[in-house]
């Protein structure tokens, strides 16, 4: 795709994700009610309306590309297989924290080619911040809504690396998992924001043992890899996409 090679693709995705954020924000800290899906995860009108906007915009800009989006999968089931090119979309990652009024929820859009995330955008509506990969080999960038893009990259691993962990873990579990990757200190956080904070050099590792869905990780992986980091599955290979059921096993995201 010419837009992927030029970098204009993720600029377009950033505009879409930021428009989705503007759909989401009026529901934040307003007592929005969540319903439970079949897997017992929460969903709100904000999730559904943001996904509808993203799907409509992608269909207009890039018709014919397969979409795998969280709420569509919850309603209709996952596709039987992935195409060579497909979108992975999480319109509101971190819904539980969103409902509770926390800031770490995100909009995620990623483009997958033959199992690899080749482009990704993550937007944090609460802080009006977006991260994106550029053209292949062109690095990663961050901006506040309306500002210019600024280049970001992972930091060299410091003497005392910091881990960022899922809020769903107990302190004991998180401490044990962080130490396994050489990190004495750690911080809990929701959503794909964890990948982006490693990408901009604020943390060094995000290990995960529990299951996630591919739309939870793909955009963040694209940003982190573009910034010089890596995301490895339990077999030590890069985390791949289009797996049966679109689910992930354990992985670790690392900076420099």
């Amino acid at each position: 795709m010419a837009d992927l090679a030029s970098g204009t693709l993720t600029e377009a995705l950033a505009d879409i994700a930021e428009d989705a954020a503007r759909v989401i924000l009026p529901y934040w800290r307003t007592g929005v009610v969540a319903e439970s899906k079949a897997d017992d995860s929460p969903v709100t009108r904000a999730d559904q309306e943001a996904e509808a906007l993203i799907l409509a915009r992608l269909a207009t800009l890039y018709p014919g590309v397969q979409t795998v989006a969280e709420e569509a999968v919850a309603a209709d089931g996952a596709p039987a297989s992935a195409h060579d090119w497909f979108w992975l979309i999480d319109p509101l990652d971190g819904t539980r924290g969103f409902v509770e009024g926390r800031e770490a929820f995100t909009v995620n859009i990623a483009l997958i080619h033959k199992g690899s995330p080749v482009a990704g955008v993550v937007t944090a509506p609460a802080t009006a911040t977006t991260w994106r990969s550029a053209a292949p080999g062109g690095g990663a960038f961050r901006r506040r809504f309306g500002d210019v893009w600024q280049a970001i990259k992972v930091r060299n691993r410091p003497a005392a690396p910091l881990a960022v962990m899922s809020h769903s873990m107990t302190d004991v579990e998180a401490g044990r998992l962080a130490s396994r990757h050489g990190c004495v200190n750690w911080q809990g956080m929701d959503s794909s924001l964890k990948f982006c904070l490693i990408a901009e050099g604020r943390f060094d590792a995000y290990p995960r043992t529990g299951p996630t869905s591919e739309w939870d990780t793909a955009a963040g992986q694209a940003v982190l890899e573009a910034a010089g980091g890596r995301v490895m599955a339990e077999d030590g290979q890069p985390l791949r996409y289009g797996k049966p059921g679109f689910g992930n096993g354990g992985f670790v995201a690392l900076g420099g």
Side-chain angles (χ1 to χ4, degrees), residues 1-11 62 85 87 111 113 118-119 132-139 141:
M1 297 175 71
D3 287 358
L4 174 62
S6 69
T8 58
L9 184 143
T10 52
E11 292 187 27
Y62 303 107
W85 293 92
W87 300 107
L111 180 64
H113 182 225
V118 294
R132 71 175 178 93
S133 62
F141 294 83

Side-chain angles (χ1 to χ4, degrees), residues 166-236:
S166 170
H167 253 145
S168 64
M169 303 187 71
T170 67
D171 287 354
V172 172
E173 291 172 326
R176 183 182 303 118
L177 190 55
S179 65
R180 187 184 305 169
H181 294 278
C183 301
V184 176
N185 296 311
W186 58 272
Q187 180 178 328
M189 190 172 296
D190 298 318
S191 82
S192 62
L193 189 59
K194 296 184 282 292
F195 294 95
C196 299
L197 297 183
I198 299 174
E200 63 180 46
R202 293 172 58 183
F203 290 88
D204 305 290
Y206 164 35
R208 180 80 181 225
T209 56
T212 56
S213 296
E214 291 187 357
W215 48 79
D216 295 321
T217 60
Q221 180 172 343
V223 171
L224 178 54
E225 290 180 344
R230 58 198 192 278
V231 182
M232 297 181 297
E234 291 174 320
D235 62 2

Side-chain angles (χ1 to χ4, degrees), residues 12-123:
L13 297 185
D15 290 340
I16 295 171
E18 290 173 6
D19 284 345
R22 295 180 182 100
V23 169
I24 290 167
L25 280 172
Y27 291 99
W28 185 44
R29 293 179 174 171
T30 60
V32 64
V33 176
E35 300 176 359
S36 292
K37 295 185 286 191
D39 64 358
D40 209 31
S41 63
V43 61
T44 70
R45 286 185 63 187
D47 300 71
Q48 295 163 339
E49 291 179 11
E51 181 167 300
L53 180 148
I54 294 167
L55 291 175
R57 294 277 291 276
L58 289 177
T60 298
L61 288 175
Y62 303 107
V65 180
Q66 182 186 33
T67 57
V68 181
E70 179 178 18
E71 306 314 330
V73 169
D76 303 321
S81 61
H83 297 178
D84 280 354
W85 293 92
F86 69 99
W87 300 107
L88 275 170
I89 301 155
D90 190 340
L92 205 171
D93 186 26
T95 300
R96 285 191 176 89
F98 169 77
V99 171
E100 294 171 7
R102 297 200 293 268
E103 291 187 353
F105 57 93
T106 56
V107 179
N108 300 270
I109 308 172
L111 180 64
I112 309 301
H113 182 225
K114 295 184 177 179
S116 296
V118 294
V121 165
V122 177
T123 288

